[in-house]
Amino acid sequence: MNKCLYIDEKICDSAENHNKKNKKNLTVALTGNPNSGKTTLFNVLTGSRQHVGNYPGVTVEKKEGLCKYNGMEIKIVDLPGTYSLTDFSPEERVARDFIINGNADIIVDVIDTSNLERNLYLAIQIIETGRPVILSFNMMDEVESQGYKIDVSSISRALSVPVIRTVASKSQGIEELKKQISTPVYNKKVPLYSEELEKEIEKLASFITEEEIPEKYSSRWLSIKLLEHDKDIIKRLEVHEELIKVSEESRKYLKNLYGKEVEYIISEERYKFINKLLENNLNPPETDKTSLTEKIDNVLTNKFFGIPVFIISMWLMFHITFTVGSYPVGWIEKLITLTGSGMAYLLKDNLLKSLFIDGIIGGVGNVMVFLPNIIILFFAIALLEDTGYMARIAFITDRIMYKIGIHGKAFIPLIVGFGCTVPAVMATRTLDGKKNRLVTIFILPFISCSAKLPVYSLFISAFFSANMAGTIMFSIYFAGVIISVIMAKIFSKYLFPEETSFFIMELPPYRIPTLKNLFIHTWDRAKHYIQKAGTFILMFSVIIWFITTFPTTGKGNMLEGSYAGQTGKLLEPLLRPIGLDWKSGVAIVSGFAAKEVVVSTLGTIYNLKDTDENSISLKESIKKDSNFSPLKALSLLLFVLLYMPCMSAISVIYRETGIKYTLFIICYTTAIAWIISFFIYQGGKLIGIE
Ligand code: GDP
Ligand code: MG
């Protein structure tokens, strides 16, 4: 092959090197717009099970995996989605740095072919970096079913890069892609700008080459970036004063010539080039019918129906979680009580027996009971995500989000928060601006994470009838959302009144979810829950058993005299106004370790309390306790919903925001929890509910 064809020597040499390395191992980076199918492709290539969702912003950090092909080991890196290599939020920077620093030998740009114009905008910029690029025209199934005809090979020729058609969700085109990855790739310079602009680029590029600027980037790419006035690149090249001066002159010259800023000219010309390319190579279907997605969206994102439909679907989700879940929950409950009474019968009365039955079965067993609820809820959430409805929810709530002063993009961390606050806090990294991040982190504790679900399930099934259960559960979750909305409004008004920014969410088409994705998503949460029960909760159950059993005074009410009992008693003045006793106090305090521990602690306490009745479930024990009533249960549930986040969440919050904000979050959430429980309990009593 002729070397002069390549963008420039340096890049060419590095391409050669990579291709020599080919025989052994390669690093391939997957890039592309958000929601173009990168993670799906990553999973197919590496056989892993990363979370895929039909909305933008799922992958925040890069993930790595291995793919074997023809005796080669190919390292695949899944990068966060990005629309452009110019403007970037922190996660877009991850992608950009990875691409331009040459960390990958080959870049596979995953393109949502049903959205070719916008996806090619990024592709062109990646090609411009001069790195070896392969375009994977993904979602070909959708394009074809819509009746579009694309001349892929002609586009490939025009851009001088290999193009492979793929349908990642059906593993189609994967062999071809792997083959292409293992074949040396070079890309050539594509002069796509107008003559004047190209002239200036050339001028700068030759200046860069002559100056022997010791950078690993393509000179053409650097020139374009300098003309775009890219702050990051200017900073990297700062020392080359002469070059910066020349590029400023070029910018001035072009601005005068075109009468607008150079960054606009460049972006306009990229689109012009793409449109011309598509005009010649993309044939729209003959009959122009409204797509199914549009038809569904006319209803689901409708100004009037949008919100009611959303609320009904959420209600339905919780109703199903509860009603369908109550059967398997009942079976596991039986199994646990049977195991308990079996062991009680078999073992001799001693401390070890109590540790097993009261501590471990009472603790871990009672947490495991609610596994079916977790599975059903997260299956439902996966379904909403994968069909594309979740993205619509973001869309219909965006107006509200804007009004309350946070970025619509904050929707994604909030959704992640229904699973676990820890990754949700991490996901706020996708938000730009300190205000957006902080306000979102401040309200995240009010979003019910999956660990709170067992607490709700336990008390709701103990105190409310089966047909009310779903509604109560929904109301608790909803109350959390409402309170976070109110707090967000307050924070953004008084704490950080200055910035507000817009967010345009693009809506993916509706898709039939693949079983595999649903399974991955649900299994992830179930596995996490089981693992936590078997490790962390187990450890805490033993600790709780210890502090509720010792010191053994041998007389009177031993439970109340235990360390835990004494602590709980100390807290009673604070608990009484919200209708709770020392047992709930101990559970609430230990819930700081993890929210499931609220349930395991109660399990241990009630097992110890009702020692003679090993055959009744925790639910029954609580129902029997005269210190509880539906109103008191509600007060406890609201308290658990709102009070301080658990230990692990606190530690990421601390890492992401520092000590000042962390202490603030601990105090203000707990204060709000107490105030709300107080009003509910006292209010309820006033109107005669007990
Ligand atoms: P990412 O944001 O680029 O990582 O995209 P994901 O891999 O999370 O995929 C986004 C959505 O597109 C998911 O619902 C996938 O199931 C779906 N998807 C991925 N590839 C294809 C494809 O080739 N055809 C179709 N119809 N859907 C796909
Ligand atoms: Mg992804």
Side-chain angles (χ1 to χ4, degrees):
M1 241 189 239
N2 184 348
K3 268 197 167 191
C4 337
L5 284 174
Y6 316 139
I7 287 188
D8 69 28
E9 299 273 319
K10 265 177 279 167
I11 295 292
C12 177
D13 285 344
S14 72
E16 294 268 271
N17 283 337
H18 301 321
N19 292 318
K20 267 181 222 143
K21 260 169 67 180
N22 251 358
K23 303 286 166 299
K24 281 216 184 91
N25 45 35
L26 274 179
T27 301
V28 174
L30 302 181
T31 62
N33 285 21
N35 215 33
S36 63
K38 295 174 296 301
T39 305
T40 312
L41 191 61
F42 176 84
N43 286 345
V44 178
L45 287 172
T46 61
S48 38
R49 294 179 177 163
Q50 287 299 337
H51 182 167
V52 167
N54 192 9
Y55 58 82
V58 178
T59 313
V60 181
E61 283 170 295
K62 58 178 204 284
K63 305 248 163 59
E64 294 183 1
L66 268 188
C67 160
K68 294 227 162 83
Y69 182 74
N70 268 354
M72 272 199 280
E73 281 216 334
I74 306 173
K75 183 162 97 184
I76 312 272
V77 184
D78 183 20
L79 294 175
T82 160
Y83 290 107
S84 147
L85 292 186
T86 310
D87 301 309
F88 35 85
S89 63
E91 97 274 20
E92 284 177 332
R93 186 184 283 270
V94 174
R96 160 168 154 148
D97 284 348
F98 202 89
I99 298 168
I100 63 174
N101 289 341
N103 298 349
D105 304 309
I106 296 172
I107 293 150
V108 173
D109 182 24
V110 184
I111 288 192
D112 171 1
T113 319
S114 64
N115 231 325
L116 208 46
E117 185 187 356
R118 227 223 0 263
N119 279 256
L120 282 178
Y121 186 73
L122 174 68
I124 283 187
Q125 296 180 57
I126 296 175
I127 295 170
E128 260 168 14
T129 63
R131 304 271 160 216
V133 182
I134 298 169
L135 302 185
S136 151
F137 272 30
N138 196 33
M139 314 254 179
M140 280 310 283
D141 54 336
E142 286 186 357
V143 179
E144 274 158 17
S145 76
Q146 284 162 13
Y148 281 93
K149 297 225 158 38
I150 299 181
D151 188 345
V152 171
S153 44
S154 160
I155 293 180
S156 164
R157 254 175 282 124
L159 295 173
S160 295
V161 288
V163 177
I164 307 288
R165 304 155 167 265
T166 56
V167 182
S169 55
K170 292 180 196 142
S171 304
Q172 284 168 15
I174 304 303
E175 279 310 302
E176 290 85 340
L177 184 62
K178 284 186 192 166
K179 195 168 153 214
Q180 186 59 253
I181 289 174
S182 65
T183 323
V185 182
Y186 303 97
N187 58 9
K188 301 168 204 158
K189 175 172 116 186
V190 186
L192 54 96
Y193 301 103
S194 59
E195 210 177 303
E196 298 297 329
L197 198 50
E198 284 290 345
K199 241 194 243 156
E200 294 306 309
I201 295 172
E202 281 297 319
K203 200 170 86 190
L204 282 177
S206 45
F207 194 95
I208 290 172
T209 323
E210 275 165 30
E211 285 280 289
E212 292 191 346
I213 286 171
E215 285 283 351
K216 50 194 162 178
Y217 316 118
S218 127
S219 57
R220 178 179 166 84
W221 186 73
L222 285 179
S223 316
I224 296 171
K225 288 291 127 182
L226 286 175
L227 288 177
E228 280 185 313
H229 202 70
D230 185 300
K231 291 204 184 67
D232 182 40
I233 296 300
I234 289 180
K235 203 147 178 249
R236 293 186 201 208
L237 296 177
E238 226 165 28
V239 288
H240 305 280
E241 282 166 20
E242 194 61 19
L243 171 65
I244 304 288
K245 218 175 100 208
V246 175
S247 75
E248 282 310 315
E249 276 163 16
S250 280
R251 274 173 60 81
K252 245 189 236 137
Y253 165 72
L254 287 168
K255 191 178 166 186
N256 278 335
L257 191 68
Y258 287 84
K260 36 189 155 176
E261 295 294 338
V262 184
E263 16 326 10
Y264 293 127
I265 309 170
I266 291 181
S267 145
E268 254 174 36
E269 292 197 359
R270 281 183 188 138
Y271 273 116
K272 239 189 248 163
F273 174 82
I274 294 169
N275 286 330
K276 196 141 161 264
L277 185 68
L278 295 185
E279 225 168 76
N280 300 332
N281 299 303
L282 180 76
N283 288 326
E286 268 138 38
T287 51
D288 193 27
K289 50 181 192 285
T290 36
S291 69
L292 186 63
T293 288
E294 276 170 63
K295 278 188 210 147
I296 302 176
D297 268 347
N298 283 341
V299 182
L300 292 190
T301 58
N302 181 287
K303 232 172 40 207
F304 303 105
F305 301 132
I307 303 256
V309 169
F310 163 52
I311 292 183
I312 292 170
S313 29
M314 289 297 111
W315 175 83
L316 200 68
M317 180 167 91
F318 287 110
H319 190 69
I320 292 173
T321 300
F322 208 89
T323 44
V324 178
S326 68
Y327 299 98
V329 164
W331 303 329
I332 304 181
E333 218 167 40
K334 276 230 176 65
L335 190 75
I336 305 263
T337 44
L338 271 178
T339 319
S341 43
M343 278 176 91
Y345 179 75
L346 289 173
L347 297 177
K348 269 208 240 52
D349 266 339
N350 58 21
L351 274 177
L352 204 60
K353 171 178 170 181
S354 168
L355 173 63
F356 269 114
I357 298 178
D358 306 323
I360 296 175
I361 297 186
V364 178
N366 276 310
V367 167
M368 285 304 293
V369 164
F370 299 103
L371 180 65
N373 290 139
I374 299 280
I375 292 179
I376 298 169
L377 181 65
F378 284 93
F379 185 81
I381 291 182
L383 207 62
L384 292 183
E385 279 188 6
D386 243 24
T387 50
Y389 184 53
M390 202 65 103
R392 267 77 191 172
I393 302 175
F395 179 77
I396 51 184
T397 50
D398 188 38
R399 244 172 313 160
I400 305 171
M401 298 273 242
Y402 181 70
K403 277 211 188 101
I404 62 176
I406 49 173
H407 209 272
K409 231 177 165 183
F411 180 79
I412 292 152
L414 294 180
I415 289 295
V416 176
F418 283 108
C420 177
T421 313
V422 174
V425 171
M426 301 287 289
T428 60
R429 289 189 183 172
T430 60
L431 308 177
D432 26 39
K434 192 172 166 195
K435 170 200 171 170
N436 283 316
R437 287 203 66 193
L438 280 177
V439 173
T440 311
I441 293 177
F442 283 2
I443 62 173
L444 267 173
F446 300 138
I447 299 298
S448 286
C449 68
S450 61
K452 294 179 191 169
L453 184 63
V455 189
Y456 304 157
S457 287
L458 174 65
F459 280 91
I460 291 173
S461 61
F463 291 105
F464 300 94
S465 70
N467 39 20
M468 279 300 290
T471 311
I472 304 262
M473 180 99 90
F474 167 74
S475 313
I476 301 255
Y477 273 82
F478 201 65
V481 173
I482 295 290
I483 289 169
S484 32
V485 166
I486 296 171
M487 291 321 293
K489 177 84 197 168
I490 293 174
F491 286 134
S492 54
K493 191 156 173 205
Y494 296 106
L495 230 54
F496 320 90
E498 60 313 316
E499 0 152 16
T500 26
S501 50
F502 277 101
F503 160 64
I504 299 158
M505 172 120 190
E506 53 158 332
L507 294 180
Y510 288 102
R511 300 202 165 98
I512 308 231
T514 62
L515 262 178
K516 192 176 153 206
N517 279 350
L518 293 179
F519 172 79
I520 290 173
H521 192 127
T522 315
W523 175 238
D524 261 2
R525 291 250 60 97
K527 194 175 71 184
H528 179 78
Y529 192 79
I530 298 170
Q531 276 172 348
K532 204 166 159 195
T535 52
F536 199 75
I537 310 286
L538 176 65
M539 186 181 88
F540 261 88
S541 298
V542 174
I543 295 175
I544 297 290
W545 171 82
F546 186 84
I547 62 168
T548 42
T549 306
F550 295 101
T552 44
T553 51
K555 57 176 186 279
N557 193 334
M558 271 169 30
L559 198 52
E560 291 186 26
S562 68
Y563 297 121
Q566 288 171 29
T567 321
K569 290 272 173 196
L570 271 183
L571 291 173
E572 271 202 330
L574 276 175
L575 298 168
R576 229 172 283 126
I578 58 172
L580 304 178
D581 70 349
W582 70 269
K583 297 194 278 312
S584 312
V586 175
I588 286 170
V589 173
S590 52
F592 173 65
K595 294 294 151 79
E596 296 98 330
V597 175
V598 172
V599 169
S600 62
T601 302
L602 289 172
T604 304
I605 293 182
Y606 278 95
N607 263 13
L608 283 167
K609 187 167 167 280
D610 304 329
T611 31
D612 38 332
E613 297 179 75
N614 279 317
S615 58
I616 66 167
S617 64
L618 176 57
K619 186 174 90 189
E620 299 297 328
S621 299
I622 286 178
K623 228 175 174 165
K624 254 180 39 192
D625 186 343
S626 57
N627 275 346
F628 265 121
S629 69
L631 183 63
K632 288 173 178 167
L634 198 62
S635 167
L636 176 67
L637 290 190
L638 285 169
F639 195 89
V640 171
L641 162 71
L642 302 170
Y643 84 122
M644 68 171 93
C646 74
M647 213 155 75
S648 346
I650 294 281
S651 77
V652 267
I653 292 175
Y654 168 68
R655 227 178 42 221
E656 301 287 310
T657 68
I659 186 73
K660 196 174 80 190
Y661 290 122
T662 310
L663 287 176
F664 172 71
I665 288 174
I666 294 178
C667 299
Y668 108 89
T669 49
T670 311
I672 289 201
W674 195 89
I675 293 168
I676 301 246
S677 293
F678 178 79
F679 278 106
I680 292 291
Y681 179 62
Q682 298 297 340
K685 260 188 15 186
L686 267 184
I687 58 167
I689 315 172
E690 247 312 310

